[in-house]
Amino acid sequence: MSPNGSDRSSRRPMRRKLPQVLTAGLILATATGCSYNWEDFPRLGMPTPVTEEAPTILSLWQGSWAAALITGILVWGLIIWSVIFHRRSRTKVEVPPQTRYNMPIEALYTVTPLIIVSVLFYFTARDESKLLSLTPKPPHTINVVGYQWSWGFNYVENVPGVEGDAKADKNLSSIPDKFIEAFPENAGGVYDAGIPGDRNPQTGNPGPTLWLPKGEKVRFVLTSRDVIHSFWVVPFLFKQDVIPGHTNVFEVTPNQEGTFLGKCAELCGVDHSRMLFNVKVVSPERYQQHLKELAEKGQTGYIPSGIEQTDPARNAEKNQL
């Protein structure tokens, strides 16, 4: 047998195993890419998480990048390998043998992408279910109201000296009953209604300031009085749309004190860029003191949370609790 024939026969077993090896490598890369501890991997442009839930989002982001990078390296490696080992010879001008209808290779580029997408979908669905899960009775509830061109915050809390009942307040009537039922009993509450010209007194950043207690779970009830907005606190690594006629809800537990930036992430009109706000995370004691300060200013009760709706429209969606 010629030397060339010997080389070809020795390469065949390796070529037969190549699809299986690449498939295993891609699956392993995708599966392990979503299991990193976020502290052991670069944040890749993401800010430092400031809630207990945010590392879950960051880990998913990092894992997706890791899987994409490893997959890219394998693809780039195959391209370079093909360029080097299948380049045209200077002494031979004939067309090399063509591979057609190779079932292992066709299975490789058909099944492997499906497996990669399935693995990424699994981790995304798992983390999304965790992030959007709700507790029956959260310690704190804040109704975030979006309107052109700022934000209002209804603190649904039992504030000393403030009378009222959030469950029966007409200004909160656009919120579905399934969320109103979780409001504390006889919560008179306080509010803060912002305008684009507001400034945070400590940082000078534009927009009103939302106060949150460190280490305690907060439920956000998002409502709009006009068009679609989007509530985005940047270091939360999480945002949700604020939709008229539809109430979105999520919960977070801040774990780092400080003042952080927030903004509307949905193009909502001519002054969309002015819909900025601040989030100030403080100790639980300072948070309660802030609620008392709002009450002393006369900002008791609640501002209108959304557009008027009929009872069937408010309660048309399935229970999310």
Side-chain angles (χ1 to χ4, degrees), residues 29-36 59-60 62-64 66-67 119-120 123 126:
T30 307
T32 59
C34 297
S35 60
Y36 281 104
S59 295
L60 184 64
Q62 294 169 325
S64 299
V119 172
L120 293 174
F123 284 104
R126 182 199 65 180

Side-chain angles (χ1 to χ4, degrees), residues 76-274:
W76 297 329
L78 284 173
I79 293 174
I80 295 172
W81 178 79
S82 299
V83 169
I84 294 175
F85 291 97
H86 293 282
R87 67 189 184 279
R88 181 176 178 179
S89 174
R90 294 181 179 180
T91 58
K92 297 181 181 180
V93 295
E94 69 271 12
V95 177
Q98 303 297 298
T99 301
R100 297 184 180 89
Y101 308 111
N102 187 300
M103 291 304 296
I105 294 179
E106 292 185 10
L108 170 68
Y109 62 65
T110 301
V111 175
T112 301
L114 292 176
I115 295 175
I116 294 173
V117 171
S118 299
V119 172
L120 293 174
F121 177 83
Y122 164 76
F123 284 104
T124 302
R126 182 199 65 180
D127 292 344
E128 181 181 7
S129 298
K130 179 182 178 181
L131 292 167
L132 296 180
S133 62
L134 301 177
T135 55
K137 292 288 183 179
H140 305 280
T141 299
I142 298 176
N143 170 216
V144 176
V145 184
Y147 49 84
Q148 297 169 319
W149 307 99
S150 193
W151 301 89
F153 309 115
N154 286 322
Y155 296 89
V156 186
E157 300 269 6
N158 286 302
V159 182
V162 178
E163 297 181 356
D165 185 5
K167 294 185 176 182
D169 195 295
K170 292 183 179 180
N171 287 326
L172 304 179
S173 61
S174 65
I175 300 175
D177 292 343
K178 60 189 176 184
F179 301 130
I180 290 180
E181 291 172 358
F183 289 172
E185 299 292 337
N186 302 316
V190 292
Y191 70 86
D192 191 5
I195 60 173
D198 286 339
R199 293 274 175 175
N200 181 276
Q202 284 78 38
T203 64
N205 293 328
T209 300
L210 169 64
W211 289 58
L212 300 176
K214 176 184 176 182
E216 297 183 357
K217 187 175 290 293
V218 179
R219 172 178 293 182
F220 293 97
V221 180
L222 310 180
T223 56
S224 171
R225 296 209 300 239
D226 38 52
V227 300
I228 298 178
H229 303 282
S230 188
F231 181 72
W232 180 26
V233 183
V234 178
F236 283 11
L237 312 186
F238 182 89
K239 68 180 182 68
Q240 268 202 345
D241 285 347
V242 185
I243 305 173
H246 172 81
T247 302
N248 278 329
V249 178
F250 70 96
E251 297 176 356
V252 299
T253 304
N255 58 9
Q256 181 177 325
E257 293 189 15
T259 302
F260 311 103
L261 298 177
K263 59 184 70 179
C264 176
E266 183 78 25
L267 182 58
C268 55
V270 64
D271 282 336
H272 159 71
S273 62
R274 303 184 68 190

